[in-house]
Amino acid sequence: MADREVAALIVGGGAAGAACAEALYEGGFGGSVLLVGREPEPPYERPPASKGYLAGTQDRDACLLHDAAWYAKRSIELASRTSVMRLDTAARTATLSTKEVVEYGVALIATGANVRRLRVDGAQLDGIHYLRALGNADAIRADAEAAEHVVLVGGSYIACEVAATLTSLGRRCTMVMLEDAPLSTHFGPTAGGFFAGLLRERGVELVCGDGLERLEGGDRVERVVTASGRVLPADMVVMGTGAMPDVMLARAAKLELGETGGVACSADLETSAPGVWAAGDVCEYDSVLHGGRVRIEHFEVALAQGRAAAAAMLGTRRPYAELPYFWTDLADWVTAEWVGITEAPEREVVRGSVDDGAFSVFHLAHGRMVAALSVGRGEDLAHARRLIAAGTELSGREAALAEGDLDAL
Ligand SMILES: Cc1cc2nc3c(=O)[nH]c(=O)nc-3n(C[C@H](O)[C@H](O)[C@H](O)COP(=O)(O)OP(=O)(O)OC[C@H]3O[C@@H](n4cnc5c(N)ncnc54)[C@H](O)[C@@H]3O)c2cc1C
């Protein structure tokens, strides 16, 4: 027996959950909406946790998507510090950590992702950090105050951003990564070369093509030992080793899971349980744009999918087909923006000047543009969006892409 009923239950107080609640309100949903989130704050933006919030230039309130009063004013019930412990999709009930049982009409799974922890010797030492929540950023900043040497493990955007932020705060940062260059897995070799040059120029030491072997110290970490045997002094370590979708609740509810470990969804983001949608980092959906199952961990995608799930709950069901967008800021040194449908370029065409730090890299596959990265040339990104979405045939037109009038393509 349920203690009460809600028309819509949103599980997860992150970007996707908040966007869904907002879109339900704006779409005139009318029924009651309960947004349940495990963290103490109302839903907030995670990106500042490695950028302005970590640097201390952006305060906590400025990270919130909306403050608590915003939800109250719209009759969206916000249950922070609360978890959904159990979901029964046949009975359409959820059991909360408060023991309350709530019957729902429709539901959204927006449980996000958790950091991927590496199990290496020394992993339990003090001074080893992962970064997902604002509280983790607080701990990193506090530890960094007394640290001289910081080692970052990983070559993706979180390690790069934290290295840039802490270097700006005067720390000596060393990055250890398996990749040949930072950010090259997602953005390709040209961009990787650019970011490597920029980080080095700003004083970040890069150890590329090498992995983490173990962490050493007494109670606290003192050294990082790499697979090739390099020993790096470390007063603290930040692990940027990826994230895994949080499917604990979904798995226990026997929702179908996908190949990337996310919650398997149809093209319009509905899970295997009718009336239950998924959005954000946890959502692995059948993408008409990609031609297969994908799961995308980008902030704007989480927002857009939250809105799309709300539209479906409101009765407008259509395949989710927004072109993924991502950005990364390395301190105030550079902002890079990316749009695209694949992160493994077959061929690159460069426009502008990498040396001058104002360039775009267009990624081509099968004669079409599939992704683009821009640094300091936002106008190129708009053209790239158009060319990718239209699937324009670009074989033999590389010179025009590099130097010609993009309007004419
Ligand atoms: C440090 C950092 C920097 C980033 N920078 C960028 C960037 O520059 N650009 C970009 O595009 N993306 C960036 N991202 C990625 C982006 O923030 C994520 O893709 C986005 O936050 C995903 O939103 P979400 O709502 O799916 O999940 P989340 O934000 O993870 O929210 C899910 C929430 O659900 C809660 N939850 C889980 N299970 C339950 C449960 N059973 N009951 C109740 N609550 C539950 C979790 O505690 C969490 O609060 C960054 C991420 C991090 C961590």
Side-chain angles (χ1 to χ4, degrees):
M1 267 292 281
D3 297 307
R4 64 181 175 121
E5 289 174 20
V6 295
L9 168 71
I10 299 174
V11 187
C20 179
E22 182 168 1
L24 284 176
Y25 172 78
E26 283 178 352
F29 183 63
S32 52
V33 177
L34 171 62
L35 171 50
V36 183
R38 187 184 282 161
E39 292 186 70
E41 302 86 357
Y44 61 85
E45 301 186 18
R46 280 181 208 287
S50 48
K51 311 177 181 70
Y53 183 76
L54 181 62
T57 54
Q58 185 173 348
D59 68 17
R60 227 176 171 87
D61 285 352
C63 299
L64 299 182
L65 284 155
H66 302 293
D67 62 14
W70 184 94
Y71 295 92
K73 222 166 150 185
R74 286 156 185 80
S75 302
I76 296 166
E77 186 186 350
L78 184 61
S80 299
R81 294 181 196 272
T82 309
S83 295
V84 173
M85 307 300 287
R86 188 169 175 268
L87 200 64
D88 181 336
T89 57
R92 294 203 175 208
T93 57
T95 307
L96 311 189
S97 47
T98 55
K99 306 268 185 295
E100 196 181 22
V101 177
V102 180
E103 190 175 330
Y104 63 83
V106 289
L108 179 76
I109 308 280
T111 49
N114 294 315
V115 294
R116 199 165 71 86
R117 292 182 181 271
L118 290 194
R119 288 200 188 90
V120 292
D121 284 350
Q124 78 297 340
L125 293 173
D126 287 345
I128 295 164
H129 296 267
Y130 287 84
L131 177 55
R132 182 77 194 170
L134 292 181
N136 303 136
D138 293 337
I140 292 172
R141 197 171 36 190
D143 234 8
E145 265 163 37
E148 187 187 348
H149 293 278
V150 183
V151 173
L152 300 109
V153 178
S156 194
Y157 70 92
I158 293 204
C160 290
E161 291 181 354
V162 174
T165 301
L166 296 185
T167 300
S168 297
L169 294 177
R171 304 297 161 265
R172 291 174 63 181
C173 293
T174 303
M175 296 178 65
V176 178
M177 68 194 77
L178 294 170
E179 298 91 326
D180 292 336
L183 294 166
S184 57
T185 307
H186 297 291
F187 298 148
T190 301
F194 167 75
F195 289 114
L198 176 73
L199 286 159
R200 285 197 171 110
E201 194 180 289
R202 299 286 183 152
V204 179
E205 190 189 345
L206 302 185
V207 177
C208 300
D210 205 350
L212 172 65
E213 181 67 22
R214 62 181 180 279
L215 301 154
E216 293 181 347
D219 289 340
R220 199 183 160 79
V221 68
E222 290 167 24
R223 290 171 300 280
V224 170
V225 182
T226 72
S228 73
R230 284 183 73 150
V231 180
L232 306 166
D235 302 312
M236 62 183 284
V237 173
V238 181
M239 307 286 246
T241 44
M244 314 266 284
D246 185 340
V247 292
M248 263 222 335
L249 182 72
R251 178 180 282 128
K254 301 211 162 28
L255 295 181
E256 191 189 316
L257 301 183
E259 283 162 22
T260 69
V263 175
C265 292
S266 58
D268 66 353
L269 312 185
E270 195 173 27
T271 69
S272 55
V276 179
W277 279 265
D281 287 5
V282 78
C283 171
E284 180 178 325
Y285 67 106
D286 214 353
S287 170
V288 288
L289 205 60
H290 298 79
R293 280 276 176 87
V294 290
R295 194 175 61 75
I296 300 166
E297 295 178 6
H298 302 340
F299 181 73
E300 295 290 340
V301 173
L303 293 177
Q305 290 185 347
R307 290 191 289 263
M313 291 172 180
L314 287 159
T316 306
R317 301 191 60 152
R318 62 168 84 96
Y320 176 80
E322 283 193 33
L323 196 58
Y325 167 83
F326 176 85
W327 87 100
T328 178
D329 298 327
L330 302 195
D332 57 3
W333 309 340
V334 81
T335 294
E337 295 180 281
W338 180 93
V339 287
I341 51 178
T342 174
E343 294 180 337
E346 259 179 36
R347 180 140 190 238
E348 299 187 331
V349 175
V350 178
R351 186 177 175 88
S353 163
V354 177
D355 289 344
D356 295 344
F359 66 98
S360 296
V361 187
F362 299 130
H363 294 174
L364 307 185
H366 311 297
R368 294 187 159 73
M369 193 180 294
V370 288
L373 171 100
S374 272
V375 173
R377 291 182 62 100
E379 69 279 10
D380 291 349
L381 220 62
H383 288 292
R385 276 181 188 281
R386 176 175 56 76
L387 293 168
I388 296 168
T392 307
E393 174 63 56
L394 295 166
S395 302
R397 299 161 91 181
E398 288 81 359
L401 274 176
E403 289 176 8
D405 177 9
L406 294 179
D407 266 328
L409 287 172

